[in-house]
Amino acid sequence: MSQALVQLKNVKKSFGPVDVLKGVDLEVFAGKVTALVGDNGAGKSTLIKGLAGVQPYDAGEVRFDGELQELHSPRQASALGIEVVYQDLALCENLDIVQNMFLGRETLKSGTLSEAEMEAAAARALQSLSVKTVRSVRQTVSSLSGGQRQTVAIARTVLRDARLVILDEPTAALGVAQTEQVLNLVRRLADQGYGVLMISHNLYDVFKVADDIAVLYLGNMVAQLETAKTTSNEVIGYITGIATDVKEG
């Protein structure tokens, strides 16, 4: 097996007396979708915030491409190629697609915004992911559907030279057709060599798109499974703590 893009070993995080992560191990590979599942309070959000540098881990090892890293800020994570698409997408509805994709990272030429260059780059990013549902990169975000907004947020990570894309509930509140659109996009990300870590409560979506499934239970990583070699009932058993080898830390 090739070296993991991301390796977490024995990572821990506490908030006061509450131990949220209790020595978690995780591997995410380039070219694969790893689904991170678990019930509310399992520690999923804390795990990805540590990886994104938002809430640094208290202890443990983080390796990126085999190199030991200390992630103390989102800037450090982004410099490595770790990008997060949070559930709220962080898009400005009054701005168009190009402006959102380059927000805070605008391209300048002779001291002014290079609109043509940014527009071409935004179009290339969408085309690279075979996105065909967006009519124009100059559409305002307010005019886009939920699925289209998710598409723009994901394509923005491509512009930022991401190597690991973390998706927080990418299909939440989407209809059937829009969910299908986003899942196809997630699959294309992995097929193009990106590592994808996807949080989801929807096991149907997980089994449709994920290569591997990692299960958190009360701050412990209780299972890391190949999707093709497991079942939804087995995964539910780990999520709920019913599985016989689930141990509380």
Side-chain angles (χ1 to χ4, degrees):
M1 182 178 291
S2 61
Q3 178 179 272
L5 177 63
V6 174
Q7 291 175 297
L8 303 182
K9 186 174 182 181
N10 199 33
V11 297
K12 299 178 181 180
K13 183 67 178 178
S14 299
F15 295 98
V18 180
D19 296 327
V20 181
L21 299 177
K22 305 172 183 178
V24 171
D25 295 348
L26 176 67
E27 291 187 330
V28 181
F29 290 86
K32 288 188 174 183
V33 178
T34 300
L36 181 63
V37 301
D39 211 345
N40 292 335
K44 303 185 300 299
S45 294
T46 301
L47 186 68
I48 67 165
K49 285 178 180 177
L51 194 51
V54 176
Q55 292 176 342
Y57 302 126
D58 296 332
E61 288 186 0
V62 179
R63 291 186 180 273
F64 194 87
D65 243 357
E67 297 290 327
L68 193 62
Q69 303 289 343
E70 291 189 12
L71 299 176
H72 294 296
S73 72
R75 187 180 295 274
Q76 286 179 304
S78 184
L80 289 174
I82 300 171
E83 295 289 344
V84 186
V85 179
Y86 291 104
Q87 196 168 342
D88 64 6
L89 302 182
L91 298 175
C92 297
E93 294 202 356
N94 61 317
L95 302 181
D96 65 28
I97 292 172
V98 176
Q99 292 166 326
N100 269 282
M101 291 178 74
F102 281 92
L103 191 61
R105 306 189 187 196
E106 291 82 0
T107 300
L108 299 177
K109 194 170 185 179
S110 301
T112 60
L113 293 177
S114 181
E115 295 286 354
E117 191 174 338
M118 290 189 291
E119 186 172 318
R124 284 196 301 272
L126 291 168
Q127 289 167 3
S128 74
L129 296 172
S130 301
V131 174
K132 300 177 182 178
T133 58
V134 175
R135 186 178 70 255
S136 167
V137 292
R138 287 301 181 181
Q139 286 180 259
T140 58
V141 165
S142 61
S143 71
L144 302 178
S145 68
Q148 289 171 324
R149 294 180 190 206
Q150 187 69 248
T151 295
V152 170
I154 292 172
R156 182 172 55 190
T157 68
V158 174
L159 272 179
R160 295 179 175 178
D161 297 323
R163 299 186 62 200
L164 173 70
V165 179
I166 301 173
L167 303 172
D168 185 9
E169 298 284 358
T171 60
L174 296 183
V176 174
Q178 293 177 347
T179 294
E180 186 77 11
Q181 169 192 331
V182 170
L183 291 179
N184 288 339
L185 181 58
V186 171
R187 188 66 256 169
R188 285 196 294 272
L189 272 177
D191 290 344
Q192 290 187 21
Y194 297 91
V196 181
L197 180 61
M198 180 180 79
I199 290 180
S200 181
H201 280 96
N202 190 317
L203 288 186
Y204 175 81
D205 292 351
V206 166
F207 274 84
K208 186 162 187 177
V209 77
D211 299 289
D212 301 306
I213 302 172
V215 188
L216 276 173
Y217 177 76
L218 297 178
N220 295 289
M221 187 65 75
V222 293
Q224 296 183 65
L225 311 162
E226 288 185 51
T227 307
K229 296 181 179 179
T230 189
T231 65
S232 59
N233 284 341
E234 183 179 12
V235 173
I236 289 169
Y238 283 115
I239 290 173
T240 59
I242 294 173
T244 56
D245 54 342
V246 170
K247 299 176 183 178
E248 292 192 32

